[in-house]
């Protein structure tokens, strides 16, 4: 059953998820990434994960090549 973006946001916040804003440091970190992957959205997620530091879980084996802290599932 599809939900609206507003409903999804409410569900995430009610469940205790925190939002991660895109900060200038994240954008700057993109320039330091090797060119394994060219999708700009994926590169931003990778840069955020490496900058914070946070774990990133992905099904994309190419994204997982960036760091041991990125978990391929």
């Amino acid at each position: 059953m599809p939900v609206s973006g507003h409903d999804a946001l409410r569900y995430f916040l009610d469940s205790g998820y925190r939002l991660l804003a895109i900060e200038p440091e994240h954008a700057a970190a993109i320039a330091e990434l090797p060119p394994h992957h060219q999708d700009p959205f994926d590169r931003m997620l990778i840069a955020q994960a490496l900058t914070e530091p946070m774990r990133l879980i992905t099904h994309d084996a190419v994204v997982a090549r960036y760091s041991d802290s990125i978990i391929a599932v």
Side-chain angles (χ1 to χ4, degrees):
M1 177 169 133
V3 298
S4 71
H6 292 289
D7 286 342
L9 176 60
R10 189 180 76 246
Y11 296 146
F12 287 131
L13 294 175
D14 289 348
S15 296
Y17 285 84
R18 294 183 307 154
L19 302 179
L20 178 61
I22 297 173
E23 301 293 343
E25 295 81 10
H26 301 145
I30 292 172
E32 304 301 318
L33 294 176
H36 300 316
H37 202 284
Q38 295 307 310
D39 182 289
F41 185 77
D42 285 348
R43 289 175 64 80
M44 178 55 72
L45 291 175
I46 295 161
Q48 284 181 302
L50 297 177
T51 301
E52 284 308 312
M54 306 174 78
R55 296 270 186 187
L56 176 62
I57 298 172
T58 183
H59 189 62
D60 187 329
V62 177
V63 169
R65 291 176 54 196
Y66 282 92
S67 170
D68 291 340
S69 67
I70 299 175
I71 302 167
V73 294

